[in-house]
Amino acid sequence: MLSKREWSAVRALHQKKKRYEERMILAEGPNAVEQALGAGLVCHLFCRTENQIPLPENVEPGVVRDCTEEEMQRLSTTKTGYGVCALFSMPEEKNDLPAGDFLYLDHIQDPGNAGTLIRSAVAFGFSAVLFSSGSVDPFSPKVIRSSAGFIFSLPLFQVPEHVEKAFASGRTVLLAEKEGAPMSDFSGAGEIVLCIGNEGHGLSSQLRKKSDGSCAVPMEPGIESLNAAVAGSILMAERYKGRKGIL
């Protein structure tokens, strides 16, 4: 059973302000919790539906709380709730940039799109995800859920100085735009920053000044555009195929 203090701690993490004040995140569902544990994040509270979820080996018994389905539903950010959720220390942003291709989310505000793009970035070998100011909080519970927990598998960069450093690193900056060239046209490029814009407003004018080119998903005429997560995922898959020499 949760104490009143623990109830408050979980509910507070539904809010962005509290997450960053406490440097804590809420992971919901078995996939997200498993990925967070696999990434070595410190677990401060592990809530499950009355022993129905086996206790992972790397969770201390002292932080485990068995709850009813009704209690788990009240803890959740969704209407139905999950059989497990946990509080973890927020991953600290690294100072050094890794090698490889980066994905940049320019004012992506939909958490489902952001989570899907992060998951695709992991699947297709991108080494980091960058967030512009004005983008969704990557550590919101819905982004974590939408990424299936793979958000913990690669570094994220939000600090403006770190993001600017990425753009000044010599990587080829590619904008995802309808009138762009196929990704295969950039097969000779070294490391890239692939930029995905807000569906409603497109890419920012500041970002366009940094562009080295535009890439697009070839499609039938009459289709105005694709969902940001779909387009970004296809472009990352094409980039992956080019790197691996897959036809």
Side-chain angles (χ1 to χ4, degrees):
M1 180 180 292
L2 291 169
S3 68
K4 288 185 178 180
R5 183 185 64 80
E6 290 168 338
W7 269 103
S8 297
V10 175
R11 295 289 299 179
L13 296 184
H14 292 199
Q15 304 171 40
K16 178 180 178 179
K17 180 180 178 182
K18 290 295 184 181
R19 289 194 289 271
Y20 284 85
E21 285 178 353
E22 302 296 331
R23 306 299 299 175
M24 300 269 283
I25 59 172
L26 172 63
E28 299 177 280
N31 291 336
V33 171
E34 181 182 357
Q35 291 293 328
L37 290 170
L41 300 186
V42 177
C43 181
H44 298 274
L45 189 65
F46 185 96
C47 304
R48 61 181 179 177
T49 307
E50 299 181 315
N51 290 312
Q52 292 184 26
I53 302 294
L55 183 64
E57 293 181 1
N58 50 348
V59 174
E60 293 292 333
V63 303
V64 178
R65 302 291 182 270
D66 290 326
C67 303
T68 65
E69 289 185 6
E70 181 182 354
E71 288 171 331
M72 291 298 293
Q73 187 172 341
R74 289 168 57 198
L75 289 174
S76 178
T77 59
T78 69
K79 292 182 179 180
T80 55
Y82 290 85
V84 60
C85 67
L87 270 60
F88 293 95
S89 294
M90 181 181 288
E92 294 297 327
E93 186 165 324
K94 299 179 183 298
N95 290 319
D96 297 325
L97 300 173
D101 292 341
F102 295 168
L103 175 68
Y104 178 69
L105 306 188
D106 185 35
H107 294 84
I108 296 292
Q109 297 169 337
D110 181 86
N113 281 344
T116 299
L117 285 163
I118 291 168
R119 186 176 183 179
S120 294
V122 175
F124 299 122
F126 277 60
S127 61
V129 179
L130 318 171
F131 286 77
S132 74
S133 60
S135 287
V136 66
D137 173 24
F139 295 119
S140 75
K142 188 171 182 180
V143 173
I144 294 173
R145 289 197 312 272
S146 298
S147 77
F150 285 103
I151 191 171
F152 307 120
S153 299
L154 81 178
L156 308 178
F157 294 94
Q158 300 184 81
V159 174
E161 291 81 2
H162 295 164
V163 174
E164 285 305 313
K165 184 178 178 182
F167 280 104
S169 64
R171 288 173 169 81
T172 300
V173 176
L174 298 180
L175 310 186
E177 296 191 288
K178 183 181 178 182
E179 304 303 326
M183 180 61 84
S184 58
D185 284 9
F186 301 97
S187 58
E191 297 173 334
I192 68 168
V193 180
L194 175 62
C195 305
I196 310 296
N198 180 289
E199 289 181 39
H201 304 288
L203 295 156
S204 66
S205 57
Q206 290 183 333
L207 184 57
R208 292 183 183 281
K209 296 176 183 177
K210 302 173 182 177
S211 169
D212 295 308
S214 298
C215 56
V217 177
M219 54 186 176
E220 291 292 305
I223 304 298
E224 184 177 343
S225 65
L226 293 173
N227 168 278
V230 172
S233 296
I234 293 173
L235 289 169
M236 285 188 279
E238 290 298 311
R239 174 69 175 173
Y240 180 79
K241 288 165 60 179
R243 289 200 311 267
K244 297 294 184 179
I246 302 170
L247 297 178

